[in-house]
Amino acid sequence: MIISGIGIDIYSYISRSVNRFSVARTISKAEQMVAQDRYTEAIALYEKAYAKISSAMNDDKSEILVAKIKNNQGLCLSKRFEKTKDVLDFKQALSLFEEAYAVYKKIKNGELADQTEQNIKILEKMAEV
């Protein structure tokens, strides 16, 4: 699975507003949770960051950051699905990956679209087992 690097996008996002620092901090905490295999906590933090960003989305930079958050939430759900085989985790992960993929295609970012497509294929293979 490929986690989307968010660092540069966070910097660009927060450089436009001091209030956005809390979003960057939330995403950073989420990435720490992912590194510690604490996926449920990471998902909650990504949801918190998404809520803050989506209410103020007005450009491609915000949109790509949201897509990366969705990809990373999908990754967390995929990891959880791998352990539990909970169909709800599979469906949510697939939906999040598909949303991220659609954004990457819309903004013509082939590299991130390809990475997300790879995540979808890995998730689908997990479901076959």
Side-chain angles (χ1 to χ4, degrees), residues 2 101 104-105 109-119:
I2 303 167
Y101 180 80
Y104 296 143
K105 283 302 220 181
N109 189 321
E111 181 180 349
L112 291 175
D114 290 346
Q115 289 176 2
T116 304
E117 184 176 34
Q118 185 65 29
N119 286 345

Side-chain angles (χ1 to χ4, degrees), residues 3-45:
I3 192 164
S4 292
I6 298 180
I8 293 171
D9 298 294
I10 292 172
Y11 178 76
S12 174
Y13 182 78
I14 64 171
S15 68
R16 292 176 280 156
S17 171
V18 175
N19 294 335
R20 296 177 183 184
F21 178 74
S22 68
V23 171
R25 192 172 59 206
T26 301
I27 291 172
S28 177
K29 286 180 185 177
E31 290 179 341
Q32 290 172 3
M33 296 296 108
V34 170
Q36 297 170 9
D37 296 334
R38 295 168 61 186
Y39 302 114
T40 300
E41 290 128 317
I43 291 165
L45 288 167

Side-chain angles (χ1 to χ4, degrees), residues 86-100:
D86 183 335
V87 146
L88 186 57
D89 285 343
F90 173 83
K91 288 180 179 179
Q92 288 177 329
L94 183 59
S95 176
L96 288 164
F97 286 147
E98 289 172 343
E99 288 177 44

